[in-house]
Amino acid sequence: MAGIAFLEPVEEQEKLAKKWGFKASEIRELSNNEFFMPGLVDTHIHAPQYSFSGTRVDLPLLQWLKAYTYPTETKYKDNDFAEEVYTRAVRRTLKNGTTTACYFATIHTDASLLLADIIDKFGQRAFVGKVCMDINESCPDYKETTSESVKETERFVRGVLEKKYARVHPIITPRFGPSCTEEMLGRLGDLAEAHGVYVQSHISETEEEIKLVQKIFPTYQNYTELYDKNKLLTSKTIMAHGCYLSDEELKLFTCRGAAIAHCPNSNTALCSGFLNVKKVLKYNVKLGLGTDVAGGYSASMFDAIRNALIVSNTLKINKENEEGLTLKEVFQLATLGGSQALGLDAIIGNFEVGKEFDALLINTKASDSPFDLFASDMFEDSVQKFLYLGDDRNIEEVYVAGKLVVPFSSSV
Ligand code: GUN
Ligand code: FE
């Protein structure tokens, strides 16, 4: 494991070289324009939807799923099509500094296994889920039977585990309440428990979706209870959105140790709603940021950082919050927060001694940098400018577990 051995002032160099047995010639000294930052954690992204990201965000969620998303996702029965899009999705996210991603694939097991393989080849850290849906009235061709869905999830989980990837894990993925029967949810909950694996889904993204859940599952008190009673709300669960969760539901999240993936670009692009992150954090619910490609139109976590601030400021303007999130807080959500949400904070999330080195080498004066620095800019200013205005042109190198993954190796 290429871990972080020590963090010491540069003056200690000679002493450290003796202690750790390295030579002066092996030291990599950064220029004044360069710094390392922890890798970004995208806690919610749909790899198959990358093919239409940046288009078709002109409908509300349920219509958007029917008109664009389900028809696109059916194409992943073709492994060649899947290979092209999945390769591009992994390249794009890595190039933009996503060292860890939590992916939804589609209902197709073979293409989902292929996604796991591609991620491993590129060296990204990830969770990958084969999507489960045994109800789909808006696109009847795109669903499975209950038993198929459960059997194929088992094949997917075993398939990924058997590969013994160093950093790619399977995750059980019921799509959302309206596309699942109670029986399927229950069996997936059992499966998650039996294998001790993580669970991801969507919750309370739009008001229309919540009404639909109430109609389909009238015996449950609320959306959160639907997942909870089916063993899908545990300390190994990450739910996207949660814009309309009640206090009672948030308390249940806290109690179970379940996490939320906040996807501000998606929430505003599809006019779904606003998540009050400050309030969620007050309940001590684990929270990370997600791009939610392609409901969110950008695959970059820097966009997620900026949109999280815009949403937080909007709530402040509307007097729903006294204080908004700061840039520092949002930066932490995009790194350490995401790692906590995915149960990886003992391994990644910041540069603590003993953690693995998931990092981005940033150059604030890259030759084609999209922003300018002036003599009066202090280091802190250059970091802020990068976070608000920078992009992949400023990311010179990306490391996952100490291995250089960007620039891409010629073997991928
Ligand atoms: N809810 C169910 N499926 C989806 C999806 O693909 N994207 C988003 N944003 N919400 C969903
Ligand atoms: Fe999503």
Side-chain angles (χ1 to χ4, degrees):
M1 194 271 284
I4 300 167
F6 58 81
L7 291 163
E8 300 290 346
V10 68
E11 295 76 39
E12 304 285 309
Q13 198 171 301
E14 263 180 49
K15 222 171 72 190
L16 290 163
K18 269 202 200 112
K19 182 174 169 195
W20 293 92
F22 60 83
K23 299 192 208 86
S25 62
E26 289 171 308
I27 296 173
R28 167 95 180 260
E29 206 172 315
L30 303 187
S31 78
N32 283 339
N33 318 315
E34 292 176 315
F35 63 88
F36 277 116
M37 62 167 269
L40 295 160
V41 181
D42 186 343
T43 59
H44 185 82
I45 176 166
H46 298 258
Q49 296 172 21
Y50 180 63
S51 67
F52 68 95
S53 64
T55 69
R56 307 181 203 179
V57 278
D58 55 351
L59 291 174
L61 177 69
L62 300 179
Q63 292 174 50
W64 175 84
L65 287 170
K66 179 177 179 172
Y68 311 128
T69 309
Y70 296 149
T72 302
E73 289 192 14
T74 58
K75 294 193 206 165
Y76 290 77
K77 57 178 177 283
D78 172 0
N79 272 7
D80 292 337
F81 178 74
E83 182 166 14
E84 189 199 339
V85 182
Y86 286 165
T87 301
R88 289 188 185 275
V90 175
R91 289 180 75 98
R92 180 67 61 192
T93 54
L94 263 183
K95 202 168 176 313
N96 279 281
T98 301
T99 48
T100 300
C102 190
Y103 287 106
F104 274 59
T106 61
I107 67 170
H108 313 95
T109 308
D110 291 330
S112 306
L113 288 167
L114 182 62
L115 173 58
D117 227 39
I118 292 167
I119 294 165
D120 175 67
K121 209 169 63 186
F122 276 93
Q124 195 174 43
R125 197 185 290 278
F127 287 87
V128 183
K130 170 229 170 298
V131 169
C132 295
M133 40 200 305
D134 62 348
I135 303 179
N136 194 350
E137 275 160 26
S138 55
C139 184
D141 286 346
Y142 187 49
K143 68 169 182 206
E144 312 153 289
T145 63
T146 311
S147 56
E148 252 171 2
S149 202
V150 175
K151 207 176 74 204
E152 286 296 292
T153 296
E154 186 130 40
R155 178 162 84 87
F156 174 75
V157 170
R158 285 185 196 282
V160 175
L161 294 177
E162 273 164 17
K163 292 273 186 168
K164 299 202 183 311
Y165 296 124
R167 284 169 285 277
V168 182
H169 316 282
I171 183 165
I172 292 189
T173 308
R175 183 170 207 122
F176 70 152
S179 59
C180 303
T181 59
E182 200 175 359
E183 187 195 342
M184 187 176 78
L185 291 173
R187 289 172 66 181
L188 292 178
D190 290 339
L191 209 58
E193 189 181 56
H195 289 278
V197 292
Y198 269 71
V199 170
Q200 64 178 345
S201 191
H202 299 89
I203 195 165
S204 293
E205 181 176 1
T206 72
E207 289 177 307
E208 217 188 339
E209 170 205 3
I210 295 166
K211 284 203 190 99
L212 194 54
V213 168
Q214 278 166 348
K215 199 175 121 202
I216 308 172
F217 303 101
T219 60
Y220 290 91
Q221 294 223 324
N222 54 49
Y223 207 157
T224 305
E225 196 183 70
L226 173 67
Y227 292 129
D228 187 50
K229 289 258 162 86
N230 287 291
K231 297 199 228 169
L232 293 165
L233 195 82
T234 73
S235 59
K236 290 184 172 179
T237 296
I238 178 147
M239 289 284 165
H241 309 299
C243 303
Y244 299 94
L245 291 173
S246 66
D247 294 70
E248 194 188 347
E249 289 178 283
L250 283 171
K251 276 184 204 154
L252 194 51
F253 266 77
T254 313
C255 187
R256 298 289 185 256
I260 291 177
H262 173 42
C263 307
N265 183 315
S266 169
N267 292 162
T268 50
L270 299 182
C271 296
S272 301
F274 294 108
L275 177 71
N276 191 329
V277 172
K278 278 273 184 189
K279 182 170 155 189
V280 173
L281 295 178
K282 272 201 194 111
Y283 277 99
N284 274 318
V285 175
K286 291 180 276 182
L287 185 136
L289 299 187
T291 58
D292 195 24
V293 160
Y297 51 75
S298 170
S300 167
M301 282 297 291
F302 292 103
D303 170 273
I305 286 174
R306 293 160 200 165
N307 273 287
L309 285 165
I310 293 173
V311 165
S312 173
N313 287 350
T314 306
L315 292 171
K316 189 175 166 188
I317 294 165
N318 289 342
K319 306 217 178 335
E320 286 176 58
N321 256 342
E322 253 171 58
E323 284 304 318
L325 292 164
T326 63
L327 180 62
K328 271 190 189 160
E329 282 175 307
V330 175
F331 177 78
Q332 191 169 43
L333 294 178
T335 52
L336 188 62
S339 75
Q340 288 163 342
L342 296 172
L344 295 171
D345 51 310
I347 304 170
I348 55 156
N350 56 17
F351 294 151
E352 270 174 19
V353 172
K355 288 196 181 182
E356 295 187 17
F357 187 65
D358 282 18
L360 318 182
L361 177 62
I362 306 302
N363 184 353
T364 53
K365 284 193 178 166
S367 60
D368 50 356
S369 176
F371 59 91
D372 294 296
L373 292 172
F374 298 93
S376 59
D377 282 324
M378 306 298 283
F379 175 70
E380 166 88 25
D381 299 313
S382 70
V383 174
Q384 281 198 31
K385 282 192 178 183
F386 167 67
L387 290 176
Y388 277 114
L389 301 166
D391 61 25
D392 58 336
R393 286 169 286 188
N394 301 104
I395 304 177
E396 291 193 316
E397 294 171 0
V398 179
Y399 293 83
V400 175
K403 181 172 178 273
L404 183 72
V405 294
V406 176
F408 300 113
S409 122
S410 54
S411 66
V412 289

